[in-house]
Amino acid sequence: MQPLDTRIPAVLLRIDRNPFHHGTLGAVRSLGRAGIEVHLVADDFGSPVQRSRYLHRMHAPPAPGASLAEVAAVLRRVAHRLTGPAVLIPLDDAGALAVGTLYDQLTDRFLVPRVPGDVAERVADKAALARVCAQAGVAHPTTLAPESAAEAADAVHRLGTPAVAKWSRPWLLPRGTGLRSTTVLGSPHEAAALFERRTEAGSRLLLQAFVPGTRDADWFVHGCAGRDGVVRGGGTGRKHLSWPRSAGLTVSGDWTANPALWSAAAQVVSALEYRGIFDLDFRRDATTGDFHLIDFNPRPGAQFRLFADGTGTDVVRALHLDLTHRPVPDPQPLPGRTFVVENYAPLAALRSLTVSSPYGELAWHAADDPAPGAAMRLMWRRHVVRRLRDGMGHRSRRALTSLSAGPVEHPPAVLPAQANRERAVTDA
């Protein structure tokens, strides 16, 4: 493995509040194991990530929804604590967009990729992604942007059910509202109701055709486009389990070589002249065999450690090497390598621990850094108990309300639209 320049520290930035973001821990460990001094700017005080032996220091992050000036002020305060320049790596969309916009203000203290124009915003904004795909000649699901609740309902009529709803700028979603960046819809009525929450969501509602797929239809591609535009690090992988099902993060996946998909990803990156780390989500159409680009994330995906190759290089290390003008090693792919997130898939994690394989990695547990895994298990048990308690309280209140209202006619156990959606999600 090409040694990283340990004189240059790394600053990881995450504006989104998420104590269970395992991708943050993966970045801390990857760089820390290589001897890099790692600083984390995130609201992870009390999170399992804080327990990692490879984390040098934590810094208070900008507030959610902070202005660019506020983000810049936070990063300047961090820079003043460093003895020299540092590689700056945003770990969420809000951070990636802020760093891209503030490029000219940051380059005196940080090393960051130069992304031309508004490319980072265009690929992160789901409304612009369809145009990006058309420009690059890559398949993308039919996407409609309704202007009213009636148009939203009509769009689902046209697209058919199930349909997929997305907020164009998911990083603006407020916490505690129950709104998700992606939702599978089973009826036009659901689309109309969701449209009415657009002000609360902070961005436009997009309705997208559901791409029919069979088991293991969901794929992802990670990579790092260097200063010369060549993609290094990363690979192509299959998503076996996700949370929420069919519309969420990778819970279990494996490294599966797919040259055609890698070529399509490189084609998109080249057409955009994109630089830096990227995480692309694809879905294979069971009818046509086409791979549809679903999402382009201008930062590391949470499961990026799946693609740590035989040289120990992953996309985070590749970026540090590139920005410090060191050559990235020739790739040594490890097809069959697996990645499992224990708190979402405990049985799959247990299997990976009992089956001896040099190619598997868990999101939280690591023999050389056990404290975050132990803290996660304790926090997750408390989190699950609290959710169960809140759910039981909600059901009790609903039962009391029903009793006070008198007898009611019970609906069918499963409504037709709900059944269709559940079948679609299961097929995914």
Side-chain angles (χ1 to χ4, degrees):
M1 157 184 157
Q2 171 70 31
L4 279 72
D5 189 341
T6 56
R7 299 169 301 173
I8 308 297
V11 173
L12 308 177
L13 170 66
R14 206 185 76 242
I15 298 175
D16 174 48
R17 281 10 184 189
N18 182 357
F20 295 111
H21 190 266
H22 50 275
T24 300
L25 178 60
V28 168
R29 284 173 170 166
S30 176
L31 294 168
R33 285 168 176 154
I36 301 298
E37 181 179 292
V38 182
H39 294 255
L40 175 59
V41 184
D43 187 20
D44 279 347
F45 296 94
S47 127
V49 178
Q50 186 183 10
R51 308 293 185 88
S52 176
R53 60 180 290 204
Y54 296 111
L55 179 60
H56 180 78
R57 184 166 187 163
M58 291 191 64
H59 305 265
S67 67
L68 288 173
E70 291 169 325
V71 175
V74 167
L75 292 175
R76 280 195 293 270
R77 285 198 296 270
V78 174
H80 286 319
R81 295 178 177 271
L82 306 176
T83 58
V87 171
L88 177 58
I89 306 176
L91 299 175
D92 64 352
D93 288 344
L97 296 177
V99 169
T101 304
L102 294 169
Y103 177 86
D104 292 331
Q105 300 179 43
L106 298 176
T107 51
D108 60 332
R109 299 307 302 268
F110 294 103
L111 304 177
V112 292
R114 178 56 161 166
V115 180
D118 61 349
V119 166
E121 183 171 359
R122 286 169 58 204
V123 298
D125 189 322
K126 312 307 180 191
L129 188 58
R131 295 190 292 274
V132 169
C133 289
Q135 174 187 348
V138 173
H140 183 70
T142 301
T143 303
L144 303 174
E147 298 292 342
S148 68
E151 283 190 18
D154 181 64
V156 171
H157 274 299
R158 294 165 57 190
L159 294 171
T161 55
V164 178
K166 295 183 177 182
W167 298 105
S168 65
R169 298 188 168 202
W171 60 90
L172 298 178
L173 288 173
R175 296 184 66 84
T177 61
L179 291 171
R180 301 194 63 88
S181 60
T182 303
T183 306
V184 179
L185 302 176
S187 71
H189 173 75
E190 292 178 12
L194 199 57
F195 179 87
E196 297 294 356
R197 302 186 68 180
R198 66 196 183 284
T199 301
E200 186 181 0
S203 65
R204 300 180 69 185
L205 177 67
L206 306 176
L207 298 172
Q208 198 172 80
F210 184 87
V211 179
T214 57
R215 182 176 176 81
D216 294 337
D218 292 309
W219 291 68
F220 46 87
V221 183
H222 292 192
C224 177
R227 290 170 291 109
D228 57 3
V230 176
V231 177
R232 300 180 176 89
T236 58
R238 291 185 301 173
K239 183 187 296 189
H240 298 305
L241 297 174
S242 62
W243 182 260
R245 293 177 66 181
S246 86
L249 61 85
T250 299
V251 170
S252 173
D254 69 25
W255 187 337
T256 303
N258 189 326
L261 192 59
W262 181 261
S263 177
Q267 189 175 334
V268 174
V269 170
S270 175
L272 292 167
E273 298 182 5
Y274 180 84
R275 299 293 183 269
I277 298 172
F278 59 85
D279 164 26
L280 310 185
D281 289 325
F282 286 86
R283 185 169 174 81
R284 186 176 184 272
D285 190 321
T287 303
T288 66
D290 293 333
F291 284 94
H292 291 253
L293 179 59
I294 304 297
D295 275 322
F296 188 129
N297 302 299
R299 38 81 180 167
Q303 75 276 28
F304 79 91
R305 280 292 302 165
L306 171 65
F307 300 113
D309 71 6
T311 70
T313 303
D314 56 31
V315 293
V316 167
R317 290 188 179 186
L319 181 66
H320 195 285
L321 288 165
D322 182 72
L323 292 177
T324 56
H325 296 265
R326 295 197 166 204
V328 179
D330 292 334
Q332 294 183 17
L334 297 175
R337 179 172 160 82
T338 61
F339 184 85
V340 180
V341 185
E342 305 97 297
N343 47 319
Y344 291 108
L347 294 180
L350 184 61
R351 286 195 298 270
S352 70
L353 285 172
T354 56
V355 177
S356 177
S357 170
Y359 298 134
E361 182 161 334
L362 298 178
W364 295 99
H365 173 77
D368 66 330
D369 190 28
M376 182 282 296
R377 290 189 289 274
L378 178 61
M379 290 180 64
W380 191 253
R381 282 197 295 269
R382 292 173 178 169
H383 171 74
V384 170
V385 169
R386 184 169 59 251
R387 292 291 296 270
L388 289 173
R389 187 188 305 122
D390 292 346
M392 291 174 65
H394 175 71
R395 286 193 293 272
S396 298
R397 290 190 297 272
R398 187 171 58 187
L400 289 172
T401 302
S402 299
L403 287 172
S404 65
V408 296
E409 181 180 352
H410 292 285
V414 179
L415 299 176
Q418 180 185 351
N420 289 339
R421 180 162 69 258
E422 290 176 351
R423 280 195 295 272
V425 170
T426 301
D427 289 344

